[in-house]
């Protein structure tokens, strides 16, 4: 079974990673807040890409009713996501705190590019919680009664 992370999501993750990494390397309070978020994001992103996002690769096939994949591996990934959800959401809360701090500092220091980055990252966390994670978990449900 070859489950890849959807390319659009992979590209978004890589872009956010690079931008936050750059922000974390600047000196001062913005850089410190960005570094705090970046440390969590690094570990968090690798875990998501390990088990939370690969099931999303099946969404198009499921929508087209052309699933020809063995679901055993997908079920394991979805079960891991379900088990790890509290930890992932806790990491989101920790990142949000750092990103709120980064946003506040950036606004105070009149650095809108860093405020914008913090807001985009917070929006990404919301997308994960409202769309990506539930969609991955729904694939588990669909695997129990194939389309």
């Amino acid at each position: 079974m070859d489950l890849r992370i959807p390319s659009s999501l992979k590209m978004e993750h890589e872009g956010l990673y690079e931008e936050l990494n750059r922000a974390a390397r600047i000196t001062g309070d913005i850089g410190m807040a960005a570094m705090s978020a970046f440390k969590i994001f690094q570990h968090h992103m690798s875990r998501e890409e390990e088990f939370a996002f690969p099931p999303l690769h099946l969404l198009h096939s499921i929508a087209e009713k052309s699933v020809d994949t063995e679901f055993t591996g997908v079920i394991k990934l979805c079960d891991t996501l379900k088990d790890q959800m509290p930890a992932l959401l806790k990491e989101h809360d920790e990142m949000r705190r750092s990103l709120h701090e980064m946003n506040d500092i950036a606004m105070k220091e009149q650095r809108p590019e860093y405020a914008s980055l913090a807001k985009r990252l917070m929006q990404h966390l919301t997308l994960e919680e409202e769309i990506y994670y539930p969609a991955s978990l729904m694939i588990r449900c669909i695997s129990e009664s194939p389309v």
Side-chain angles (χ1 to χ4, degrees):
M1 172 181 59
D2 180 30
L3 287 178
R4 297 173 307 279
I5 298 164
S7 61
S8 58
L9 182 52
K10 181 74 172 162
M11 287 173 40
E12 180 181 11
H13 251 200
E14 289 171 354
L16 291 171
Y17 179 93
E18 290 172 15
E19 288 185 70
L20 188 56
N21 187 16
R22 276 195 302 275
R25 288 182 281 160
I26 68 168
T27 58
D29 292 338
I30 293 172
M32 288 174 40
M35 178 56 76
S36 177
F38 183 69
K39 286 179 181 178
I40 301 164
F41 188 71
Q42 280 182 297
H43 173 70
H44 181 81
M45 186 177 98
S46 69
R47 289 169 15 99
E48 286 177 331
E49 292 184 358
E50 177 186 339
F51 57 81
F53 296 155
L56 297 175
H57 182 73
L58 294 175
L59 284 174
H60 188 267
S61 296
I62 291 168
E64 296 292 321
K65 298 183 179 183
S66 63
V67 178
D68 61 358
T69 300
E70 167 58 52
F71 273 105
T72 305
V74 174
I75 291 169
K76 289 178 186 174
L77 294 174
C78 295
D79 287 347
T80 300
L81 172 58
K82 185 176 179 182
D83 293 343
Q84 292 297 313
M85 188 74 78
L88 292 172
L89 296 177
K90 182 178 182 218
E91 291 168 359
H92 279 194
D93 290 342
E94 293 168 1
M95 279 189 281
R96 270 196 187 90
R97 279 192 289 280
S98 296
L99 292 168
H100 276 293
E101 180 182 358
M102 181 177 153
N103 178 65
D104 292 346
I105 294 166
M107 295 300 289
K108 180 180 165 190
E109 294 182 5
Q110 298 182 351
R111 301 291 304 267
E113 67 275 25
Y114 295 110
S116 176
L117 173 59
K119 289 174 186 171
R120 284 187 292 121
L121 281 157
M122 287 187 275
Q123 178 61 37
H124 177 79
L125 298 176
T126 301
L127 269 171
E128 290 178 353
E129 294 166 2
E130 293 179 351
I131 309 282
Y132 301 147
Y133 294 168
S136 284
L137 294 173
M138 285 299 300
I139 290 169
R140 169 68 158 102
C141 296
I142 291 167
S143 72
E144 294 170 344
S145 56
V147 179

